[in-house]
Amino acid sequence: MMIAPEQELVARGCGKWSDPDVPKSGWSYAYGHDLGLGKDRHKICEMCEAIHIRFVHVMRHPTGLELETGCICAGHMEGNLAVARARDDDRKRAAERVSRRQKALAKARSQLSQIDVETESHDHMSSSVIPALERLRKVMSHRVGEAAKDAKDHDYILEHIEHIGFLAEVELAISNAKDRLQTLLLRARAEQLALELEDPVWWKTPKGRRFTTSHNDRIQIFLLPDGRWSGLYQLAGDTDATWAKRRYDDMDSAANAALAALRQKLRKLGRLAM
């Protein structure tokens, strides 16, 4: 049976294992932490003084001593190697989860940068951009929850904060995209309205003619009993109509005046470009 290097160092009495002033039992686990990737960030186990460790077990003794050790030394110090190994394996699994999330976060950042939030098409914004952002938000919300658990259980707090920060970026992108969608829709409606008013389609009525926009604004032109022409316009959703102040000798003049009045009102309301 092959003996693990740290186990062998314990057996050989390396480092403080041979120091008569350092207790060899009676220790308890205080807390642990991950020094991260890269051997330059790792440290030497303070008990065997030989093994480079990434996952630190901080051990305390009733005498007041505190040492940062590796898994095997910690297990011998607390008299339960199985518990120390289970604790170490749990932290390693957490570190693997963090590593996967970090790779996924980098990919998500790339995805966010590639979403065309500056599109000029309201169709593309509503059918593609906003759904893509909302899918990204759903994924990131789940990952923030996972990161929160590892932050609580294993002190990966900075990773949790980083995920929260990116989720906030996605939320802001969604808010901006929805605002932009409203702007694009208003612009498209204004452009459509301008075309309709430029070349209105009139419908004959018993006493004149009627024009209705695609947004249900309407103009009514009619013949008065004195043989002159008048008109009115009514905005979509309004219950009251605005009557023409003048009378006209022909139907076209009345219609043109009503169109001009409707255009002016729509511009004041911001529904038509100035």
Side-chain angles (χ1 to χ4, degrees):
M1 178 179 177
M2 184 175 292
I3 300 176
E6 193 175 1
Q7 181 87 328
E8 184 180 351
L9 293 169
V10 173
R12 285 166 45 194
C14 289
K16 291 184 177 64
W17 286 109
S18 60
D19 187 337
D21 295 327
V22 177
K24 308 303 182 292
S25 61
W27 294 81
S28 61
Y29 174 78
Y31 61 92
H33 56 92
D34 177 6
L35 297 176
L37 295 170
K39 289 188 177 181
D40 57 319
R41 303 178 66 178
H42 298 175
K43 66 183 302 178
I44 300 294
C45 171
E46 292 180 345
M47 189 64 175
C48 67
E49 299 178 345
I51 291 293
H52 284 78
I53 56 174
R54 169 183 171 179
F55 301 100
V56 178
H57 299 242
V58 179
M59 308 299 293
R60 285 178 182 159
H61 196 269
T63 59
L65 289 175
E66 182 173 293
L67 296 176
E68 295 189 344
T69 73
C71 172
I72 302 301
C73 284
H76 284 283
M77 292 162 76
E78 64 185 308
N80 195 329
L81 191 55
V83 167
R85 279 176 168 158
R87 190 168 60 230
D88 203 61
D89 288 343
D90 186 42
R91 181 165 286 280
K92 287 176 180 177
R93 286 191 293 270
E96 289 173 359
R97 290 194 296 272
V98 169
S99 178
R100 287 195 297 270
R101 281 197 299 269
Q102 287 296 309
K103 291 177 182 177
L105 180 59
K107 183 178 179 181
R109 289 189 187 281
S110 177
Q111 289 175 335
L112 180 59
S113 69
Q114 292 172 22
I115 295 175
D116 184 17
V117 294
E118 297 299 324
T119 180
E120 293 293 325
S121 166
H122 62 84
D123 287 335
H124 181 61
M125 181 66 80
S126 60
S127 65
S128 180
V129 172
I130 292 177
L133 289 170
E134 289 177 336
R135 285 193 298 271
L136 189 57
R137 175 174 61 184
K138 183 177 180 180
V139 170
M140 290 310 304
S141 295
H142 177 70
R143 289 179 187 157
V144 165
E146 290 182 338
K149 188 176 187 307
D150 283 328
K152 178 182 178 182
D153 296 344
H154 302 287
D155 296 324
Y156 289 108
I157 297 171
L158 292 179
E159 191 246 355
H160 182 215
I161 292 172
E162 188 176 9
H163 275 73
I164 290 174
F166 182 67
L167 178 57
E169 289 181 39
V170 176
E171 294 280 8
L172 179 60
I174 291 173
S175 177
N176 291 340
K178 289 182 176 180
D179 287 345
R180 182 165 178 75
L181 175 59
Q182 290 305 310
T183 299
L184 293 172
L185 286 172
L186 288 173
R187 183 193 301 169
R189 287 167 185 162
E191 291 172 352
Q192 177 63 31
L193 199 52
L195 291 174
E196 293 173 8
L197 293 171
E198 186 68 27
D199 188 19
V201 177
W202 294 96
W203 295 90
K204 289 184 178 181
T205 64
K207 291 186 178 182
R209 59 186 179 182
R210 183 183 71 250
F211 162 63
T212 305
T213 71
S214 57
H215 301 124
N216 290 324
D217 309 293
R218 72 183 182 93
I219 292 175
Q220 186 83 35
I221 305 300
F222 49 87
L223 183 65
L224 297 171
D226 63 3
R228 306 191 74 193
W229 293 87
S230 185
L232 62 82
Y233 71 80
Q234 186 175 16
L235 298 176
D238 282 359
T239 55
D240 297 326
T242 301
W243 291 78
K245 296 179 180 179
R246 292 179 54 190
R247 301 293 182 263
Y248 298 89
D249 294 331
D250 59 86
M251 185 169 56
D252 288 341
S253 297
N256 290 334
L259 283 168
L262 179 58
R263 285 195 190 96
Q264 184 178 13
K265 185 63 175 180
L266 291 172
R267 289 192 181 103
K268 286 182 179 180
L269 295 173
R271 292 178 53 198
L272 196 63
M274 299 297 289

